[in-house]
Amino acid sequence: MNVRTLCLGILAFDEASGYEIKKAVEDGMFSHFIEASYGSIYPALTQMLADGLVSVREQAQEGKPLKKAYSITEAGRKALKNSLHELPQQDKFKSEFLFQALFREQVDPQHLEAVFNGQMEYLYDELSTIEECRQSLEPGSGHAFVNGYGHAVVSAAIQYMEESRSSLGLLARKPISSDAAE
Amino acid sequence: MNVRTLCLGILAFDEASGYEIKKAVEDGMFSHFIEASYGSIYPALTQMLADGLVSVREQAQEGKPLKKAYSITEAGRKALKNSLHELPQQDKFKSEFLFQALFREQVDPQHLEAVFNGQMEYLYDELSTIEECRQSLEPGSGHAFVNGYGHAVVSAAIQYMEESRSSLGLLARKPISSDAAE
DNA sequence: CCTCACATGTAATGAGTTACATGATTGG
DNA sequence: CCAATCATGTAACTCATTACATGTGAGG
């Protein structure tokens, strides 16, 4: 999938600026598909505007820079549908974290711990994000499946990692912040 | 992560040719990290040979083309360790399959079904591959964690998808082949 | 006879990232 | 005062993919 298709997909739900698209891909409702940087999003929008797949509404904001709100056009919806039908049929689980885990005996123990904890942090974060998303959702939408799938997979990853912690020679995770004595 | 690091990692376990590396990345023990094509593997090996990170032993095989067995050198092991320490600390779940699922109402129902079944096929395949890998493993190796993690995650994905099948308006999966009545 | 598995490699192309470039406003 | 957030965009660069190029042997 390319950034154009990603942007069209986001715009199919609601109009958005390049900046907003980036945020949605980074953190928000559209963070589960592919990554995209400003350097790819802005050119994609410019190009799609030239191709008539999106239209733009410029909003002057007092005290803020010009904001360009892009909307998808009918041609854009057709292009999106088309792209959707041409996406590869399978998508594979790949993980660079696992690559690092594979060589755990070759890296410094403290680095291994940092990597492990970094991944854990991401997974717990992801889980909260999904929970949040779930609440602002009409039931039955495509987002429900996405979030359910994400929840199932991330939970399983967390569980397996917590179980493996000791066998990897790692300590239990340190308390996140100063928590009162118990 | 780049293809160079991937190749070094594979060679750290055993010597291999470009062809064998490709196979291992496609199907085998190293299929869980990143993808790599011949067009990236061969140049990577050539370059690393020039850089002294690997050495080569040419094997003339009767009736078969020349085979180049690459081995990692001491410099290569250092470079690998170095790369390992520079890899990003978090790796995110991304799925284009989910993107398609998000727009399930915009695509043809038969296409949706094909995509869903295609993904299912991949997941079941993956699970068998992992089971196979598990058997040819010394316990306690890095591979054990990789396979355990993979198993946990893939199983969770399968379970969620099977549960969601009906709510997506899809039929139960058709029997894979002629199976005897039971 | 034809296709698949084995085996190595190159060149054109493409798609994206990173870093650069600019600038206002808000909050600590 | 400094950092972060909002906001848009370009150019150099990197990295990998695709398609091309070549050749043998085995099995159906």
Side-chain angles (χ1 to χ4, degrees), chain B residues 17 19 39 42 61 66-68:
Chain B
S17 65
Y19 189 80
Y42 284 116
Q61 301 173 111
L66 179 79
K67 184 170 166 177
K68 296 184 175 180

Side-chain angles (χ1 to χ4, degrees), chain A residues 108-167:
Chain A
D108 300 332
Q110 69 222 43
H111 180 252
L112 179 66
E113 193 151 349
V115 167
F116 192 92
N117 288 332
Q119 186 63 13
M120 268 305 195
E121 212 180 292
Y122 163 72
L123 290 171
Y124 278 115
D125 248 46
E126 195 58 13
L127 213 53
S128 333
T129 305
I130 291 170
E131 296 290 6
E132 279 167 39
C133 284
R134 269 184 167 169
Q135 279 156 18
S136 56
L137 231 59
E138 333 87 80
S141 84
H143 277 301
F145 179 78
V146 171
N147 286 323
Y149 186 98
H151 190 274
V153 163
V154 172
S155 299
I158 289 176
Q159 206 190 322
Y160 183 76
M161 284 184 67
E162 291 288 9
E163 282 167 11
S164 307
R165 204 181 267 278
S166 63
S167 64

Side-chain angles (χ1 to χ4, degrees), chain A residues 45-67:
Chain A
L45 290 171
T46 308
Q47 204 199 327
M48 291 197 295
L49 186 62
D51 294 347
L53 305 184
V54 300
S55 62
V56 71
R57 189 169 55 86
E58 304 200 350
Q59 290 171 295
Q61 302 172 112
E62 35 182 320
K64 279 187 185 175
L66 179 78
K67 184 171 167 177

Side-chain angles (χ1 to χ4, degrees), chain B residues 68-88:
Chain B
K68 296 184 175 180
Y70 290 91
S71 309
I72 194 167
T73 64
E74 265 317 299
R77 285 190 193 276
K78 271 182 205 165
L80 172 61
K81 190 174 170 181
N82 222 45
S83 300
L84 247 19
H85 282 86
E86 277 164 12
L87 287 178

Side-chain angles (χ1 to χ4, degrees), chain B residues 29-175:
Chain B
M29 305 277 273
F30 298 91
S31 57
H32 310 294
F33 315 119
I34 59 170
E35 295 187 71
S37 63
Y38 290 121
S40 58
I41 292 169
Y42 284 116
L45 290 170
T46 308
Q47 204 200 327
M48 292 198 293
L49 186 62
D51 294 347
L53 306 184
V54 300
S55 61
V56 72
R57 189 169 56 87
E58 303 200 350
Q59 290 170 295
Q61 301 173 111
E62 33 182 322
K64 280 188 184 173
L66 179 79
K67 184 170 166 177
K68 296 184 175 180
Y70 290 91
S71 309
I72 194 167
T73 64
E74 265 317 299
R77 285 190 193 276
K78 271 182 205 165
L80 172 61
K81 190 174 170 181
N82 222 45
S83 300
L84 247 19
H85 282 86
E86 277 164 12
L87 287 178
Q89 340 70 295
Q90 297 190 330
D91 94 335
K92 305 180 178 175
F93 278 102
K94 300 283 168 179
S95 167
E96 299 191 20
F97 163 68
L98 286 182
F99 190 77
Q100 285 174 281
L102 186 61
F103 295 97
R104 63 194 167 83
E105 270 151 28
Q106 269 72 59
V107 300
D108 300 332
Q110 69 222 45
H111 180 252
L112 179 66
E113 193 151 349
V115 167
F116 192 92
N117 288 332
Q119 186 63 13
M120 269 303 195
E121 211 180 293
Y122 164 73
L123 291 171
Y124 278 114
D125 248 48
E126 196 58 14
L127 212 54
S128 333
T129 305
I130 291 170
E131 296 289 6
E132 279 167 40
C133 285
R134 270 184 166 170
Q135 280 157 16
S136 56
L137 232 59
E138 331 86 83
S141 84
H143 276 300
F145 178 77
V146 171
N147 286 324
Y149 186 97
H151 190 275
V153 163
V154 172
S155 299
I158 288 176
Q159 206 189 323
Y160 183 75
M161 283 184 68
E162 291 288 10
E163 282 167 13
S164 306
R165 202 182 269 278
S166 65
S167 64
L168 291 173
L170 300 171
L171 303 170
R173 77 169 176 284
K174 52 195 161 210

Side-chain angles (χ1 to χ4, degrees), chain A:
Chain A
M1 189 166 64
N2 56 29
V3 173
R4 282 177 64 130
T5 306
L6 176 69
C7 291
L8 280 180
I10 294 171
L11 297 177
F13 282 89
D14 199 4
E15 67 167 28
S17 65
Y19 189 82
E20 287 164 345
I21 289 174
K22 176 70 163 81
K23 292 299 144 201
V25 169
E26 223 170 55
D27 279 321
M29 304 278 272
F30 297 92
S31 57
H32 310 293
F33 314 119
I34 59 170
E35 295 186 73
S37 62
Y38 290 122
S40 58
I41 292 170
Y42 284 117
L45 290 171
T46 308
Q47 204 199 327
M48 291 197 295
L49 186 62
D51 294 347
L53 305 184
V54 300
S55 62
V56 71
R57 189 169 55 86
E58 304 200 350
Q59 290 171 295
Q61 302 172 112
E62 35 182 320
K64 279 187 185 175
L66 179 78
K67 184 171 167 177
K68 295 185 176 181
Y70 291 89
S71 309
I72 194 167
T73 63
E74 264 318 299
R77 286 189 193 276
K78 271 181 205 168
L80 173 61
K81 191 175 168 181
N82 223 47
S83 301
L84 247 19
H85 282 85
E86 276 164 13
L87 287 178
Q89 341 69 293
Q90 297 190 330
D91 91 338
K92 306 180 177 175
F93 278 103
K94 301 283 169 180
S95 167
E96 299 191 20
F97 163 69
L98 287 183
F99 189 77
Q100 285 173 281
L102 185 62
F103 296 96
R104 61 194 168 83
E105 271 150 28
Q106 270 72 59
V107 300
D108 300 332
Q110 69 222 43
H111 180 252
L112 179 66
E113 193 151 349
V115 167
F116 192 92
N117 288 332
Q119 186 63 13
M120 268 305 195
E121 212 180 292
Y122 163 72
L123 290 171
Y124 278 115
D125 248 46
E126 195 58 13
L127 213 53
S128 333
T129 305
I130 291 170
E131 296 290 6
E132 279 167 39
C133 284
R134 269 184 167 169
Q135 279 156 18
S136 56
L137 231 59
E138 333 87 80
S141 84
H143 277 301
F145 179 78
V146 171
N147 286 323
Y149 186 98
H151 190 274
V153 163
V154 172
S155 299
I158 289 176
Q159 206 190 322
Y160 183 76
M161 284 184 67
E162 291 288 9
E163 282 167 11
S164 307
R165 204 181 267 278
S166 63
S167 64
L168 290 173
L170 300 171
L171 303 171
R173 75 170 178 281
K174 52 194 161 209
I176 301 159
S177 60
S178 60
D179 50 356
E182 186 66 13

